């Protein structure tokens, strides 16, 4: 009888200790995982864009800690989550550096395009003006193609204004994308007019 | 026909500037006819190349002329 009570007491103490231990690990593990997830979410757009492999690596580590937590292995989850803040911080630093580098490269591209493309537009404008003065178009240019080129020149000016506006509003990436469209369209218009564009650099 | 390579002259800093290298028998009128379909537009080619041309009737084979 005493033995039975004794073992029941021991069992209760064991269970209480176990529950206590689990509670000790559960909350810190949950907090660490949540913090890592939030920090990762905050940088996910840039991280996936500039360092997708590194982002996946950290995301996988977060997912692994979550999976361990969901199996009620709080101690294991806490151990898995222990390094997450450092990994997320490191990723954040690397993403910021990669983004800065990418923007610097885009700015260089923009500087080059913004120096060249207005001259391209001016050169096309000059030829259109000359051809508009001509009593007859040259042999290699029919009226329909000339009209199309003139319309293309109008489009080019609008496209270039849009690219400039993007740059002025701080969106270098969009500005460069639009400028490259201007370059392609300008090359097409030049070809219509029998002009030669330099090879794209 | 047209030579897009860079050259010294008024279009030197413009990679899109258009050029024509003078060949035997060329005149500014012929060049204007070729590029614009109108020989009467030769003065514009002359004006665009005043840095290398003094007389519209005197162009040299091998000269690189900018075509506006």
């Amino acid at each position: 009888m005493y033995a039975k009570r004794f073992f029941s007491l021991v069992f209760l103490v064991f269970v209480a200790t176990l529950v206590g231990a689990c509670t000790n690990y559960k909350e810190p593990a949950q907090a660490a995982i949540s913090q890592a997830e939030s920090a990762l979410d905050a940088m996910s757009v840039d991280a996936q864009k500039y360092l997708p492999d590194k982002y996946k690596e950290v995301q996988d580590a977060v997912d692994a800690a979550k999976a361990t937590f969901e199996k009620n292995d709080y101690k294991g989850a806490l151990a898995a989550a222990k390094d997450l803040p450092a990994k997320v911080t490191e990723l954040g630093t690397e993403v910021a550096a990669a983004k800065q580098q990418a923007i610097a490269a885009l700015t260089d591209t923009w500087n080059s395009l913004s120096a060249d493309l207005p001259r391209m537009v001016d050169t096309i404008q000059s030829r259109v003006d000359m051809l508009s003065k001509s009593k007859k178009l040259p042999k290699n240019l029919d009226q329909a193609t000339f009209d199309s080129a003139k319309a293309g020149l109008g489009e080019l000016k609008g496209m270039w204004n849009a690219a400039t506006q993007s740059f002025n509003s701080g969106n270098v990436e969009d500005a460069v994308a639009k400028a490259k469209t201007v370059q392609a369209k300008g090359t097409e218009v030049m070809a219509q007019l029998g002009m030669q564009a330099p090879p794209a650099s | 026909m047209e030579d897009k390579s860079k050259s010294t002259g008024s279009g030197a800093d413009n990679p899109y500037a258009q050029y024509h290298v003078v060949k035997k028998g060329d005149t500014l009128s012929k060049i204007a006819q070729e590029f614009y379909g109108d020989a009467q537009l030769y003065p514009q080619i002359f004006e665009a190349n005043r840095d290398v041309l003094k007389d519209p009737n005197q162009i040299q084979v091998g000269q690189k002329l900018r075509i506006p």
Side-chain angles (χ1 to χ4, degrees):
Chain A
M1 190 67 179
Y2 285 120
K4 193 176 177 184
R5 281 184 182 173
F6 175 75
F7 284 117
S8 295
L9 193 61
V10 167
F11 179 72
L12 283 173
V13 168
F14 173 76
V15 168
T17 306
L18 194 64
V19 168
C22 286
T23 305
N24 286 343
Y25 290 123
K26 185 178 180 180
E27 286 182 8
Q30 194 164 31
I33 292 168
S34 296
Q35 281 173 11
E37 263 192 311
S38 299
L40 200 56
D41 280 351
M43 71 174 79
S44 66
V45 173
D46 282 349
Q48 288 181 79
K49 186 172 175 178
Y50 298 108
L51 291 174
D53 293 343
K54 180 89 179 180
Y55 172 78
K56 188 180 179 306
E57 195 180 297
V58 178
Q59 180 67 65
D60 287 349
V62 173
D63 289 345
K66 277 172 73 178
T68 307
F69 184 88
E70 279 159 15
K71 287 177 192 165
N72 299 328
D73 178 4
Y74 305 128
K75 187 178 180 182
L78 184 60
K82 189 181 68 178
D83 295 336
L84 290 180
K87 284 183 179 173
V88 172
T89 302
E90 186 185 328
L91 178 64
T93 305
E94 290 178 9
V95 166
K99 184 178 181 179
Q100 196 174 12
Q101 199 174 9
I103 288 174
L106 282 169
T107 303
D108 284 347
T109 303
W110 170 260
N111 288 339
S112 171
L113 289 170
S114 66
D116 281 355
L117 294 181
R119 292 188 289 199
M120 180 192 222
V121 174
D122 287 348
T123 303
I124 295 170
Q125 180 71 66
S126 167
R127 181 60 61 92
V128 166
D129 290 346
M130 291 297 292
L131 290 168
S132 298
K133 290 176 192 168
S134 177
K135 289 174 187 160
K136 191 180 160 193
L137 291 172
K139 282 188 286 188
N140 60 351
L141 182 63
D142 60 37
Q143 190 62 49
T145 305
F146 183 47
D147 290 342
S148 169
K150 282 196 287 188
L153 175 60
E155 284 176 45
L156 270 181
K157 291 175 182 174
M159 290 159 72
W160 178 243
N161 283 339
T164 305
Q165 279 170 11
S166 288
F167 182 78
N168 290 340
S169 64
N171 193 341
V172 190
E173 188 172 2
D174 188 50
V176 168
K178 284 176 175 165
K180 286 184 174 174
T181 310
V182 171
Q183 192 175 38
K185 179 69 180 174
T187 302
E188 181 189 316
V189 173
M190 289 182 85
Q192 285 181 310
L193 294 171
M195 303 166 81
Q196 292 183 356
S201 52
Chain B
M1 188 164 111
E2 271 182 309
D3 183 345
K4 64 187 167 95
S5 61
K6 289 181 182 178
S7 156
T8 55
S10 56
D13 59 344
N14 179 1
Y16 297 93
Q18 304 292 300
Y19 295 94
H20 172 77
V21 178
V22 177
K23 54 187 184 293
K24 194 176 177 185
D26 271 349
T27 63
L28 288 188
S29 296
K30 279 187 182 174
I31 296 169
Q33 177 69 38
E34 180 182 341
F35 284 94
Y36 308 135
D38 187 347
Q40 298 302 311
L41 293 175
Y42 80 87
Q44 275 84 349
I45 297 176
F46 175 62
E47 287 302 324
N49 293 278
R50 286 298 293 263
D51 54 333
V52 292
L53 296 178
K54 295 210 169 12
D55 183 334
N57 296 310
Q58 291 185 356
I59 60 174
Q60 307 296 321
V61 172
Q63 268 183 322
K64 190 180 269 185
L65 303 180
R66 193 167 73 82
I67 309 298

